[in-house]
Each structure stands twice: as C-alpha cells, then as structure tokens.
C-alpha cells in the first residue's frame, strides 16, 4: 500500500510539471522463467520451477536547467512447489537534478515495500516464514567541475523498517525477527587531471548507523560507525581503462571509539576492449558491512568479479561472469560467510525494444552452520517502450 500510494502521488506530481517540459514515458517489462536446484537457498533446499515478472515505469520532465524523474516498479516471483518462497516488491522513487553553472545538484528519494517468503530449518524440519520490510533511501550529490579537476560530495541514507513475520502453520502471533537499522554515508571525492590520460583520485568517507534501543537487546545488534581515507589513480589509454585506490578503514561500536578496528582498503576496476565486439572487465576490492553484519557489529568484506562479453553476431551476445565474495566478522573473526558464483548467458536482440535471454548459473555458499550449492537455468524476455 505504501508503494502504491507513493506511485500515485508521484505520477500526479510529474503530470503537473510545466507544460513546456514534455515528459517522455518509459516502460520496461521483463518476464523470466526457469529452474533452480535450491528454491529455499539452504542446505535442505529442493529443486523447483519459478517465474518472475517485473514492470518499471519512468516519467521524466525537463524545464530549463532542471530535470525531474519518477519511477514506479513492481516485481513478483512465484514458485511452482515451494510457494512459501514467493516474493513481492513495490518501489517508487523520485529524482531531481539542477544545473548551476559549473555545479550540478542531484537529490533523490525512494521507498521499497517488500513481502518476502523464507524458511526456518530446524533439524531438517522446514517452517515457512512470511516477512514484510519497508526501506527508505535518500541520496544527495553535488558535483563541482573545474578546468582540470572535479569535486563530488555525496550523502546517502537508508532506513530499513522491519515488519512482523508470520511463522506459517504454527498458530503463533506475528513476530519481529530482524532489527530496524538506519545508516548515513557521507563522502567527498576529488579528481585532478595530471595528464591527458591520467587523473589522481582522493576520497574521504564517514559512516553512521542507528538501531533502536529495544532492538539492540532483542537481536544482539550493536550499531557501529566508521570512516575511510583513500587515494589512487585512474588511467585511460586506448582500449584499456584502469583505476585503483588504496587506504584504510576505521570502525568502532557507537560510543566506544576505544574498541576501534583498522583494516586495509583497496579497490581496483579495469576494462579492456582487445578487439571489436569483445570486452573484458575486472572489479575487486574490500569493504565494511554495517547494515547487516555477520557478527552483529561490523564485518570486513572482500570481493572480486570477472566478466567478459563477446558479440557473436550483430544481434547476438555471449557473456560470462565469475565472482567471489567473503565477509569476516570484525569483532568475532570466527564468523565467516562467502559465496562463489559463475554464470554463462546468451542474449538475442530482436529489435531495439525486444530481446530474449538465456542464462546458466552456478553458486556455492558457505554460512555459519551450513553450506550449500545452487544451480539455475533461466529464460527471459525483455521489452522496452
């Protein structure tokens, strides 16, 4: 209901935008169906068939040096046998952009309401769970550009509000199973051109999280704050683009700076186009998890992703991906979770508005207390208007 009300108000607002700014309407629809070897994403998971439908409507208005864009999306997933894993999501967002000479200001707000199917596995006995969550996201960005440099200031906020969860079939009243979490990230980044193909990079970040007092005790969840300092280079030379930054992260439980943890930080992104129709990319780096940390305080993450695309024909593209992600608790290093994934996809663009896709995916997941594999085959149709 929240998403639906927001979407109605959003469309009404955009339709009232000055008539001089004709607002183009964009509609994207995707239908996906397939098979998964593990419908519940757990060690006891069984194979099942599923279908997913997503619809996104965007409306954009422009007047002078201002732009306003609104988006409303709906996503539904249904399983044939494991119906308690069915998911629904409604999201609405609005973004405004204003050009101010050498500066550009962007502001955005989005709300997402989700109804998620999950399960609780107790010694092989599966208890279906239906949960609700509402996420509020706020974003603000100011970009100031000079002849050979650029400064970007970002502020991003998230407030995740957990609804009650229903343990299906047990006759118990709805329960709250996850804490509410709020987070704010502020960042200032500076880029300075030092040659036609090279730029110096520097950035500072601060993170702040909040958890309601009662949720801290009910879910053993301690909010944490932190920050990052980094510097690096970006190089673009012909078919190669490479950027890299390094520095350090600081994290501490809120109000307990004496318990701070320091960890190295790095981020690398590289892309290569060795020949026409072929592109390769690599992304790797570390991070800090404060919204859903594995140890209830903070987690240190590391990830690497490799991707390749090959144009087999003007309308046919083959893609491949490999990925690895790992999180270790900063205050309990015995807690570790990780995933290794691989995917191979084929996409056929029948026209500028219609495309077909097929994907085969593999994954291995390690979590405290359980490990499992997951294989999937998916077929999709995507349309744009």
């Amino acid at each position: 209901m929240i998403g639906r009300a927001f979407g109605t108000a959003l469309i009404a607002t955009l339709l009232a935008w000055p008539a001089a700014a004709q607002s183009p309407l964009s509609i994207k629809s995707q239908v996906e169906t397939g098979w998964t070897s593990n419908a519940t994403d757990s060690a006891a998971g069984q194979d099942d068939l599923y279908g997913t439908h997503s619809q996104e409507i965007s409306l954009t208005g422009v007047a002078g040096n201002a732009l306003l864009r609104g988006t409303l999306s709906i996503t539904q997933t249904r399983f044939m046998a494991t119906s308690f894993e069915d998911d629904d999501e409604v999201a609405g967002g609005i973004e405004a952009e204003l050009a101010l000479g050498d500066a550009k200001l962007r502001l955005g707000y989005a709300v997402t309401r989700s109804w998620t199917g999950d399960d609780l596995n107790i010694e092989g006995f599966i208890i279906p769970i239906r949960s609700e969550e509402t996420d509020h996201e706020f974003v603000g960005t100011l970009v100031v550009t000079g002849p050979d440099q650029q400064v970007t200031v970002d502020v991003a906020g998230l407030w995740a509000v957990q609804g009650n969860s229903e343990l299906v079939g047990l006759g118990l009243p709805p329960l709250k199973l996850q804490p509410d979490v709020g987070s704010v990230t502020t960042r200032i980044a500076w880029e300075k051109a030092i040659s036609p193909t090279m730029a110096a990079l520097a950035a500072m970040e601060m993170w702040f999280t909040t958890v309601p007092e009662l949720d801290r005790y009910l879910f053993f969840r301690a909010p944490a704050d932190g920050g990052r300092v980094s510097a690096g280079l970006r190089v673009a030379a012909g078919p190669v683009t490479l950027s890299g930054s390094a520095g350090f992260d600081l994290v501490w439980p809120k109000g307990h700076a004496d318990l701070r943890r320091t960890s190295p930080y790095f981020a690398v992104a590289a892309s290569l186009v060795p020949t026409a129709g072929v592109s390769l990319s690599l992304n790797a780096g570390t991070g800090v998890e404060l919204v859903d940390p594995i140890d209830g305080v903070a987690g240190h993450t590391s990830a690497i992703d490799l991707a390749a695309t090959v144009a087999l024909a003007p309308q046919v593209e083959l893609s491949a991906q490999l990925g690895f992600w790992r999180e270790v608790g900063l205050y309990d290093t015995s807690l570790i979770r990780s995933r290794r994934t691989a995917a191979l996809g084929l996409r056929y663009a029948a026209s500028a508005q219609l495309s077909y896709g097929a994907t085969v995916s593999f994954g291995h997941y390690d979590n405290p207390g359980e490990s499992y594999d997951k294989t999937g085959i998916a077929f999709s149709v995507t349309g744009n208007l």
Side-chain angles (χ1 to χ4, degrees):
M1 293 299 293
I2 291 178
R4 183 177 301 174
F6 180 82
T8 303
L10 174 63
I11 292 176
T13 300
L14 291 176
L15 290 177
W17 193 248
Q22 296 299 322
S23 303
L25 179 67
S26 173
I27 301 176
K28 180 179 179 180
S29 182
Q30 183 178 66
V31 177
E32 179 180 298
T33 183
W35 169 87
T36 176
S37 67
N38 196 325
T40 60
D41 290 308
S42 66
Q46 301 294 320
D47 65 303
D48 202 352
L49 298 174
Y50 72 93
T52 297
H53 171 257
S54 62
Q55 188 84 22
E56 182 180 284
I57 302 174
S58 296
L59 197 58
T60 303
V62 178
N65 60 348
L67 177 146
L68 185 67
R69 178 183 294 111
T71 303
L72 177 66
S73 65
I74 300 173
T75 303
Q76 297 177 312
T77 299
R78 296 292 182 266
F79 289 87
M80 179 172 288
T82 323
S83 59
F84 60 83
E85 288 284 341
D86 294 348
D87 298 329
D88 297 278
E89 181 179 284
V90 178
I94 187 167
E95 176 188 2
E97 182 176 300
L98 182 64
L100 305 167
D102 294 332
K104 184 175 292 186
L105 176 66
R106 302 187 189 99
L107 299 172
Y109 167 73
V111 60
T112 302
R113 182 71 180 270
S114 58
W115 297 263
T116 305
D118 207 340
D119 66 276
L120 182 63
N121 184 3
I122 302 177
E123 299 296 331
F125 179 68
I126 301 296
I127 301 175
I129 300 175
R130 294 293 300 173
S131 302
E132 297 182 11
E133 180 178 344
T134 304
D135 293 340
H136 302 269
E137 297 179 78
F138 309 85
V139 177
T141 300
L142 177 64
V143 181
V144 181
T145 304
D148 60 351
Q149 59 186 323
Q150 177 176 289
V151 176
T152 303
V153 180
D154 292 305
V155 179
L158 168 66
W159 181 243
V161 182
Q162 304 293 330
N164 289 328
S165 299
E166 178 187 359
L167 279 64
V168 181
L170 295 186
L172 298 174
L175 303 171
K176 186 175 180 180
L177 300 179
Q178 296 290 335
D180 296 342
V181 179
S183 71
V184 175
T185 299
T186 61
R187 176 176 179 266
I188 181 168
W190 174 68
E191 299 182 21
K192 170 72 173 178
I194 55 180
S195 79
T197 61
M198 184 178 298
L201 311 174
M204 294 180 62
E205 296 183 35
M206 289 296 295
W207 317 307
F208 309 93
T209 61
T210 61
V211 177
E213 194 72 26
L214 181 60
D215 287 0
R216 299 185 190 187
Y217 296 102
L218 291 178
F219 303 104
F220 302 101
R221 178 70 169 86
D225 299 331
R228 171 181 297 157
V229 176
S230 64
L233 293 172
R234 183 175 62 245
V235 179
V240 180
T241 301
L242 174 64
S243 65
S245 296
F248 62 89
D249 293 332
L250 288 172
V251 179
W252 57 90
K254 186 177 290 293
H256 295 279
D258 55 310
L259 298 178
R260 64 182 177 272
R261 297 286 189 271
T262 304
S263 56
Y265 163 78
F266 79 92
V268 176
S271 63
L272 171 65
V273 183
T275 185
V278 178
S279 63
L280 308 173
S281 66
L282 176 148
N283 288 278
T286 61
V288 173
E289 177 58 55
L290 297 179
V291 175
D292 183 26
I294 189 173
D295 66 0
V297 184
H300 181 263
T301 64
S302 56
I304 181 170
D305 292 288
L306 301 169
T309 59
V310 179
L312 302 179
Q315 296 174 299
V316 181
E317 182 180 84
L318 178 68
S319 62
Q321 293 179 318
L322 291 173
F324 172 79
W325 176 90
R326 185 172 186 258
E327 179 187 355
V328 180
L330 272 176
Y331 290 87
D332 186 350
T333 56
S334 67
L335 295 176
I336 301 173
R337 56 186 172 190
S338 65
R339 61 176 179 263
R340 289 172 285 175
T341 58
L344 186 65
L346 188 66
R347 181 159 295 277
Y348 168 66
S351 66
Q353 293 78 33
L354 183 65
S355 63
Y356 303 89
T359 305
V360 178
S361 59
F362 309 90
H364 177 76
Y365 301 80
D366 286 313
N367 296 299
E370 70 168 1
S371 298
Y372 61 90
D373 296 319
K374 184 175 183 177
T375 303
I377 301 173
F379 301 93
S380 64
V381 179
T382 303
N384 296 277
L385 177 63

